[in-house]
Each structure stands twice: as C-alpha cells, then as structure tokens.
Amino acid sequence: MLEAAFDQAQGLRGLRAGRPVQVLAITGGKGGVGKTNVAVNLGVALAQRGRGVMLLDADLGLANVDVLLGLKPRWTLAHVLAGERDLQEVIIDGPAGLRIVPAASGVAGMADLAPSVYGGLIQAFGQLAVDLDVLLVDTAAGVAEGVMSFARAAQEVLVVVCDEPASLADAYALVKLLSTQHGVSRFRVLTNMVRRARDGRELFGKLLSVCDQYLDVVLEFAGVVPFDEYLRKAVQRRQSVMEAFPRSPAAFALRQLAEQVEHWPRASGASGHLEFFFERMVQSSAAAVGGSA
C-alpha cells in the first residue's frame, strides 16, 4: 500500500504549480511545555501578516487545538482517514483566517497510526484546493512513531522547551532520536514560559551544550516566549492571545517568531509542494518498517 500511495502522490505533484509550501513541525519532548499554544498563536500571527496558513492538529488521540479556540468541529481527521469525509469538508476556520484540520480526541487507534495509513494523507492533501504559504503541524508530545513521522518529513522542526529538568531531558531525547535514527540534523529551539529573556538564552545554552557534546546536530535559537498571565486568560476565554490581548508580552514575542519564520529558507521546485511532505512521511515510515523487519 505504501508503494501505491507513493505512486499516486507522484501523479498528484503535477496538479498544482503554485509556490512551495513551508512545512513546520512544532514539537517537544514532553507534555506541558506549551507546544499547542505556540502552534495556535504562531498560526494566527502568520495569518495576521497576510499568510495563507493551515494548522494540522497531529496530536492524533489527544487533540486540543479546537478546544483552545472554542471551536466545535463536526468532522475530524479521523473521518478523512476512515474514508467518510473529504479533507475539504473537515477544515474549519479559525481566527484571522487561519485554517485548521482538527484531529480526533480520545478515539481508539488514532494515537498510533500504521505507516500504511499515511498514504491516505498523501491523497487527501495532494487533492486539497487551497492557497497555502505555511503548514504548521502540531505534533503529539513524546517520541512515538507518529511524532517521528511528522517531524522527519517537515522542512523545519521547532522544539519547544520550558525551564524544567524534565523538559530539557526529554527535548534532548527527542533530538537524539530524530538525529541518530531518522537523519534530522537541524533543529530550531523556542524557549517558552520563562521569566526573563536571559533565562531563555541560558536554557537554550544548556540544551546546546549537551547536544554539541554528544550529537552531530545544529541547534538554532528561535527566541523566547515569556511567562504571561494574559496567555492563561486567553486560554480561559478560548481565544488566541494574539486577538484577546494583542499588546501582551506573549503576543509580542509570537509576532517576532512569525516574522522570523517568514525569513526561514523555503524548499524550491517540486520538493516544496505540500504533497512532498506526505511522500516523505510514507518513504520514511516504509524505511522504518523495513529496518525493523
């Protein structure tokens, strides 16, 4: 099935000749680091800058993007993978024109998809008729196969860490696994919920020091999002902080991150198209299956 899906994607590549889509996987070694809040608000910030942005909730099994924004999707990615709905039918509109692909929460079987299922994602996204600049992928926490698949296929991997020993240890484990077993050699690191900008720099320095000592990877500092009560208030309101409290410290920091993202390198040619992201998922998943056989 993997080979058939890949062949199908090859044919789909020629259907759209638009500009490349920037694919950014937002991940973290553990839960509780604010990863989904970063994904949601970065998406809104980019949309406010006039970008065509889609946020894929790839926390398959514990989805919460829609919860953070007070949205109630009728259909989810689970219905797409089951062949019950087209992807176009499940996309919902979020703040500032952000488009969201909601995932299922608490649905058995969604948390650990079989590699062959990713072929359905290739077909769904390859046929998607929307004008996109950026696809943000909010992965699950941890190092499950689903997280690996999304991260190793993305053009950019943004690792969110906070100032907790477990967060640093788990972020290192994630970077190590992606670099040594899946060929990812460059990561961007965002420090979240820190009291001072200096603390964020020091936190990044700790992770960088360990990675430089034991791994052959490049870590790039993506910035600091401060601890901000306004962010908590926005969550309580079920709104993005970008709209609820646009002058808050967190909103300012996330606008800075959005400006950075716009200047990150983009893929060019056929390899930049959205379906290529899912082709890479299928190829790497097939390789993982072959390696474990």
Side-chain angles (χ1 to χ4, degrees):
M1 180 174 177
L2 289 171
E3 292 182 359
F6 180 71
D7 290 341
Q8 184 177 44
Q10 295 278 52
L12 290 170
R13 184 189 289 123
L15 295 181
R16 283 197 318 277
R19 59 187 176 277
V21 177
Q22 190 175 22
V23 182
L24 170 59
I26 301 172
T27 188
K30 67 182 290 291
V33 298
K35 170 183 57 61
T36 298
N37 248 320
V38 168
V40 167
N41 286 288
L42 175 58
V44 174
L46 285 166
Q48 288 176 335
R49 294 176 66 86
R51 292 314 199 185
V53 188
M54 179 175 289
L55 173 56
L56 170 61
D57 190 345
D59 193 346
L60 306 176
L62 292 173
N64 55 8
V65 166
D66 53 319
V67 175
L68 280 179
L69 292 174
L71 303 173
K72 296 181 179 179
R74 183 177 182 184
W75 312 109
T76 72
L77 193 59
H79 296 96
V80 176
L81 296 176
E84 298 172 5
R85 286 289 180 272
D86 292 333
L87 181 59
Q88 198 80 45
E89 294 179 272
V90 309
I91 295 173
I92 55 178
D93 294 326
L98 172 67
R99 284 164 287 195
I100 298 165
V101 181
S105 183
V107 176
M110 285 294 291
D112 292 297
L113 295 176
S116 59
V117 177
Y118 293 128
L121 291 175
I122 291 179
Q123 181 181 13
F125 279 86
Q127 294 175 338
L128 191 61
V130 295
D131 189 21
L132 282 184
D133 296 298
V134 184
L135 174 68
L136 300 177
V137 182
D138 179 30
T139 77
V143 293
E145 178 56 33
V147 177
M148 297 295 104
S149 294
F150 285 113
R152 66 193 170 212
Q155 296 160 9
E156 300 281 357
V157 179
L158 180 67
V159 181
V160 181
V161 297
C162 64
D163 196 5
E164 296 177 2
S167 173
L168 275 180
D170 290 347
Y172 172 76
L174 175 70
V175 170
K176 179 180 179 180
L177 188 59
L178 281 169
S179 64
T180 59
Q181 297 189 25
H182 301 291
V184 181
S185 60
R186 184 168 58 86
F187 301 83
R188 310 222 184 227
V189 179
L190 180 73
T191 56
N192 193 30
M193 299 185 290
V194 296
R195 295 290 180 179
R196 300 171 298 178
R198 184 176 66 186
D199 296 338
R201 282 278 185 182
E202 290 177 356
L203 185 60
F204 170 74
K206 292 177 183 177
L207 183 60
L208 178 63
S209 177
V210 177
C211 289
D212 279 350
Q213 186 173 356
Y214 297 107
L215 303 175
D216 184 18
V217 296
V218 175
L219 297 191
E220 298 186 27
F221 185 58
V224 175
V225 179
F227 179 84
D228 189 351
E229 279 294 325
Y230 284 109
L231 188 59
R232 183 182 61 82
K233 291 178 180 179
V235 171
Q236 291 176 335
R237 291 188 182 190
R238 303 248 179 130
Q239 290 181 291
S240 71
V241 75
M242 309 305 301
E243 292 199 325
F245 303 104
R247 296 186 179 181
S248 65
F252 178 77
L254 288 157
R255 277 193 295 271
Q256 287 187 314
L257 177 61
E259 184 176 356
Q260 275 196 63
V261 170
E262 287 193 328
H263 292 93
W264 289 353
R266 290 172 177 262
S268 59
S271 64
H273 294 301
L274 188 58
E275 54 267 25
F276 179 72
F277 168 62
F278 294 97
E279 286 180 29
R280 288 183 62 179
M281 288 179 63
V282 167
Q283 289 176 318
S284 57
S285 295
V289 171
S292 62

